[in-house]
Amino acid sequence: MKIFDKMEEHDYEQLVFCQDKNSGLKAIICIHDTTLGPALGGTRMWNYDTEEEAIEDAIRLGRGMTYKNAAAGLNLGGGKTVIIGDPLKDKNEEMFRAFGRFIQGLNGRYITAEDVGTTVADMDLIHEETDFVTGISPAFGSSGNPSPVTAYGCYIGIKAAALEAFGDDSLEGKTITVQGVGNVAYTLCEYLHKEGAKLIVTDINKEAVDRAVNDFGAVAVEPDDIYSQEADIFAPCAMGAIINDDTIPQLKVKAVAGSANNQLKEERHGDELEARGIVYAPDFVINSGGVINVADELYGYNNERAMKRVETIYDSITRIFEISKRDGIPSYQAADRMAEERIERVHKSRSQFLRNEHNIISRR
Ligand SMILES: NC(=O)c1ccc[n+]([C@@H]2O[C@H](COP(=O)([O-])OP(=O)(O)OC[C@H]3O[C@@H](n4cnc5c(N)ncnc54)[C@H](O)[C@@H]3O)[C@@H](O)[C@H]2O)c1
Ligand SMILES: CC(C)C[C@H](N)C(=O)O
């Protein structure tokens, strides 16, 4: 892999490779863009088959955080970490503390939080070594696990997508397919079930499926069968790149709206959804509840303030559909445009010289 070519392609600022033989830590921190502020993005722990796959994931996810944070109106840039390893077998205290020390070494250019495979307990270990971590235990005055808040944001984003697709944002009686019933999607299913939606779920983890079947009366299907179900809305809540050449022709839904990052395998798959009249709620906007919540910690966490901001996801998604229609572009492009324009505007206003840096975020 030609790493500098990759970095130039989307103008990545920095890739940091972290290795600690003692604990087995192998981590890649990707800092994509810090125009708006320090790069905030979670840490994913995953058993990648190859190092190339891990690097690809880190950079795709890091760039997604730049767009997510910008679109959410946060004064934060974008970055992400991947740790190579099996989250069920390879974790230890020393690993997360070693990782925390690497983060500390970046002196605030990167702030972490949870992602797939990491937990509040892992963040607490990182916090032993650095303050540049969010989503730590509420006992520290922090916001804790971001997943339930991501789920809430996703729920109201699905309602905004339903308004666009069906002319009514009620989910009562709608059939919704949910791919992956993990941390985010379990709580999402709870909201959907309460509103009277019918759920069809899948997961590679049987226990997760059983829980959704028992708790919400969901119908379970095999992982490969989730795309072809007769349903109204598809909510991808597992891994990325699931909207692709194989899956699009199988879809019978009117909308795709879920929490997974990087849902479109390639941008052209967003064009394909548009061409088929399938409403697509851009992933980095609908799933921004978690980062909005953890980012609030940087000002001294206030749940009410954070939730108010999470609720703006409904209007953001609605606005994206408006821009999409106004400018004749697919929704994924409208979302990109919204984020890029904000970064550009802030960049221009910061070109004035200012002696003391008023905008540096104060830490707890
Ligand atoms: N946790 C958050 O706050 C947050 C915020 C924003 C975005 N996201 C994104 O949302 C998605 C879910 O995050 P999470 O925190 O719930 O993760 P999680 O690991 O708790 O849940 C993911 C679930 O997907 C299942 N899964 C994996 N591959 C699958 C497949 N091929 N088919 C079916 N199921 C599969 C896993 O078994 C797991 O139960 C991820 O893409 C994540 O990046 C999460
Ligand atoms: C900062 C975190 C809450 C990041 C989250 N995993 C996301 O992808 O948005």
Side-chain angles (χ1 to χ4, degrees):
M1 178 187 275
K2 292 201 165 177
I3 290 187
F4 280 108
D5 287 355
K6 277 260 164 218
M7 290 176 76
E8 276 180 23
E9 193 184 334
H10 292 295
D11 209 8
Y12 289 86
E13 289 180 15
Q14 193 174 9
L15 276 186
V16 186
F17 290 79
C18 313
Q19 185 279 136
D20 177 57
K21 207 158 104 182
N22 173 46
S23 63
L25 174 76
K26 288 190 176 69
I28 303 159
I29 302 172
C30 164
I31 298 177
H32 173 238
D33 187 291
T34 57
T35 306
L36 294 180
L40 172 61
T43 295
R44 176 170 293 192
M45 185 162 182
W46 192 253
N47 219 354
Y48 295 98
D49 289 335
T50 63
E51 287 178 8
E52 282 75 14
E53 204 186 296
I55 296 169
E56 285 282 359
D57 211 24
I59 64 177
R60 259 169 75 86
L61 290 163
R63 181 163 169 260
M65 289 309 299
T66 298
Y67 281 77
K68 189 180 305 194
N69 294 340
L74 301 172
N75 291 316
L76 292 161
K80 200 94 173 187
T81 299
V82 301
I83 295 181
I84 301 173
D86 184 336
L88 297 177
K89 293 193 210 131
D90 297 334
K91 284 183 184 178
N92 56 64
E93 175 184 351
E94 310 82 84
M95 173 180 282
F96 285 97
R97 294 191 61 165
F99 177 48
R101 293 169 70 81
F102 280 113
I103 294 175
Q104 181 63 21
L106 291 169
N107 201 24
R109 274 178 60 70
Y110 171 67
I111 303 168
T112 201
E114 293 86 347
D115 193 67
V116 175
T118 58
T119 63
V120 175
D122 301 331
M123 297 307 123
D124 286 349
L125 289 173
I126 293 170
H127 186 228
E128 295 289 326
E129 306 289 341
T130 183
D131 262 348
F132 300 118
V133 52
T134 56
I136 55 178
S137 290
F140 296 105
S142 298
S143 66
N145 178 7
S147 304
V149 186
T150 302
Y152 179 63
C154 191
Y155 164 63
I156 57 175
I158 290 176
K159 287 177 75 64
L163 179 66
E164 180 67 12
F166 307 104
D168 179 353
D169 77 359
S170 169
L171 301 175
E172 194 178 352
K174 293 270 180 303
T175 301
I176 304 180
T177 47
V178 182
Q179 180 182 49
V181 218
N183 288 320
V184 174
Y186 178 82
T187 310
L188 172 64
C189 286
E190 201 169 10
Y191 285 116
L192 299 174
H193 175 65
K194 262 193 201 143
E195 195 171 325
K198 297 176 206 147
L199 300 174
I200 301 176
V201 302
T202 194
D203 199 293
I204 49 173
N205 174 349
K206 188 176 173 316
E207 273 172 36
V209 172
D210 290 348
R211 208 155 67 114
V213 170
N214 290 334
D215 296 356
F216 312 123
V219 173
V221 297
E222 290 301 315
D224 286 346
D225 295 338
I226 196 75
Y227 307 104
S228 58
Q229 298 300 311
E230 292 287 349
D232 298 300
I233 299 169
F234 172 41
C237 299
M239 304 306 272
I242 34 63
I243 301 296
N244 56 46
D245 292 336
D246 290 337
T247 60
I248 292 175
Q250 300 179 49
L251 295 176
K252 300 188 179 104
V253 293
K254 284 257 177 297
V256 173
S259 78
N261 278 309
N262 297 332
Q263 293 172 25
L264 305 176
K265 185 166 185 195
E266 293 171 39
E267 289 189 343
R268 67 185 174 84
H269 295 117
D271 301 328
E272 187 59 33
L273 289 181
E274 176 83 8
R276 288 172 184 249
I278 299 175
V279 169
Y280 171 62
D283 47 13
F284 65 76
V285 180
I286 193 169
N287 73 14
S288 60
V291 77
I292 292 172
N293 196 48
V294 299
D296 198 83
E297 288 182 26
L298 302 169
Y299 299 91
Y301 185 62
N302 178 306
N303 180 259
E304 200 180 323
R305 181 175 59 205
M307 294 312 284
K308 264 202 183 126
R309 193 157 203 162
V310 170
E311 277 167 7
T312 63
I313 290 174
Y314 188 99
D315 291 341
S316 299
I317 299 274
T318 307
R319 171 101 188 101
I320 285 164
F321 295 140
E322 280 166 11
I323 296 175
S324 163
K325 275 180 265 179
R326 187 196 65 197
D327 297 354
I329 52 175
S331 60
Y332 81 89
Q333 276 180 21
D336 284 359
R337 196 169 281 183
M338 199 167 88
E340 283 161 4
E341 283 178 0
R342 175 158 184 259
I343 294 171
E344 185 59 26
R345 284 197 306 273
V346 173
H347 181 65
K348 278 191 183 140
S349 74
R350 283 199 174 165
S351 61
Q352 302 155 316
F353 175 73
L354 185 64
R355 188 161 173 272
N356 67 13
E357 290 197 37
H358 176 71
N359 279 329
I360 287 184
I361 290 169
S362 61
R363 297 290 311 165
R364 328 173 251 279

